Amino acid sequence: VSRFLKTSGIVMKSRDFGEGHKMVTLLTDSAGKIDASAFGARKSRSKFGSSLEQFTTARYLLYRGKPENPYTVREAEVVSSPTALRENLGKYLLGSAMIEPPLRFVDKAQPDPELYALLATGLEVLQHIQEERGTALLSMYDLHFLDRMGYRPDPETCVRCERVLSGEQSRGADTMYGFPICTACAHMSEVAGAGRIQVTPSAAAFVQWALQNRLTQAMKVVMKIETMVSVRWIISCLYSATFSQVPQSWDQLVLPEE
Ligand SMILES: [Zn+2]
């Protein structure tokens, strides 16, 4: 087993420790989510440059003496350093909301090149997209992330009673079962005090469309506010049903509200 790992990675989290060192959490294409230390990274002429800053994508040469030891960063070559995500508050918050699900809900050291590609693409598109399309992009990203985790919603079947739902039938979402739930199940959830349940038909259609399209298509999405509110409700129900919680970074996001 080689003690060296050469991999592409995205910095999800970066923090200082000790006398001028840094520790990063990377999502890598070949080794999944890993922690790595970089000694002397905060010296004024550090060879690491911006390769250890949040949102950066780089090629890393990592080393560990034994498989049970943590990695250290030996070399890093920046591939993409998305400055827009650091300079624009709206994009920074959207980028943080993209990073949090893999940071919190994915196990360490589980290689998943598709998840890596999803985050890399999400951050890349976010760098270039018009800010008002950012929520549509984040929503597509969230749905693709849930799909990667094995929770792809099937708009044709109630997740609670498994009744088949035809195209025009109205649908709901709740925090216990997710999306979609049929009208009868939605009524039971409402009685149980689970709040607003029904989703708009265009929000249900967006969910289906988003799962069939690449994130770059977010650049073209034009959506009414009430559709976006409904989409975010569906996604928050999917996270709640899957992980029993929604990403904390959403608290900071300026999402449309009714
Ligand atoms: Zn049902």
Side-chain angles (χ1 to χ4, degrees):
V1 177
S2 172
R3 296 174 175 190
F4 288 95
L5 171 66
K6 205 167 189 176
T7 183
S8 295
I10 301 162
V11 181
M12 295 198 289
K13 193 169 157 186
S14 177
R15 57 260 189 225
D16 298 340
F17 80 95
E19 295 290 314
H21 314 311
K22 275 193 174 186
M23 184 175 286
V24 289
T25 303
L26 304 173
L27 186 66
T28 68
D29 66 346
S30 54
K33 182 170 74 173
I34 54 173
D35 290 325
S37 313
F39 294 96
R42 274 150 57 213
K43 282 189 214 147
S44 57
R45 285 208 197 150
S46 162
K47 63 178 175 178
F48 297 113
S50 68
S51 66
L52 304 172
E53 288 176 34
Q54 195 184 31
F55 303 125
T56 292
T57 300
R59 294 279 304 156
Y60 296 95
L61 180 65
L62 308 174
Y63 172 84
R64 58 180 175 182
K66 295 175 191 165
E68 61 270 27
N69 287 1
Y71 284 104
T72 57
V73 183
R74 288 294 178 87
E75 290 170 23
E77 185 190 338
V78 173
V79 174
S80 160
S81 182
T83 45
L85 276 58
R86 301 196 184 102
E87 290 163 5
N88 173 314
L89 177 63
K91 289 194 174 187
Y92 168 79
L93 294 172
L94 288 161
S96 303
M98 286 184 181
I99 276 175
E100 188 183 336
L103 196 57
R104 286 182 66 198
F105 302 135
V106 172
D107 291 333
K108 279 188 180 163
Q110 303 294 317
D112 186 346
E114 286 186 49
L115 180 62
Y116 170 83
L118 174 64
L119 182 59
T121 306
L123 294 175
E124 179 68 22
V125 176
L126 179 58
Q127 161 95 343
H128 301 290
I129 202 168
Q130 287 173 286
E131 208 184 327
E132 59 266 32
R133 306 259 200 271
T135 313
L137 171 64
L138 176 64
S139 301
M140 289 185 82
Y141 171 86
D142 283 325
L143 290 163
H144 283 257
F145 173 78
L146 289 156
D147 186 20
R148 279 305 306 146
M149 297 295 104
Y151 303 99
R152 185 189 181 101
D154 169 13
E156 310 277 281
T157 311
C158 173
V159 280
R160 188 167 178 179
C161 71
E162 299 188 345
R163 186 175 307 183
V164 174
L165 298 164
S166 71
E168 305 83 52
Q169 255 174 303
S170 67
R171 290 160 171 74
D174 80 2
T175 55
M176 181 75 76
Y177 293 93
F179 169 82
I181 53 176
C182 70
T183 314
C185 287
H187 180 68
M188 283 193 276
S189 298
E190 261 162 357
V191 169
R196 175 166 47 86
I197 301 294
Q198 291 302 322
V199 306
T200 66
S202 32
F206 174 84
V207 169
Q208 196 160 16
W209 175 87
L211 285 163
Q212 290 162 351
N213 282 273
R214 293 172 182 276
L215 299 193
T216 48
Q217 297 296 311
M219 301 218 185
K220 299 175 187 166
V221 173
V222 180
M223 214 188 293
K224 287 183 187 163
I225 296 281
E226 67 254 36
T227 306
M228 185 54 79
V229 170
S230 207
V231 166
R232 293 311 301 176
W233 166 247
I234 292 171
I235 291 169
S236 71
C237 289
L238 288 168
Y239 272 104
S240 296
T242 307
F243 302 109
S244 304
Q245 54 194 319
V246 300
Q248 289 168 348
S249 52
W250 290 4
D251 295 348
Q252 314 265 312
L253 275 179
V254 183
L255 294 173
E257 282 177 40
E258 276 176 323

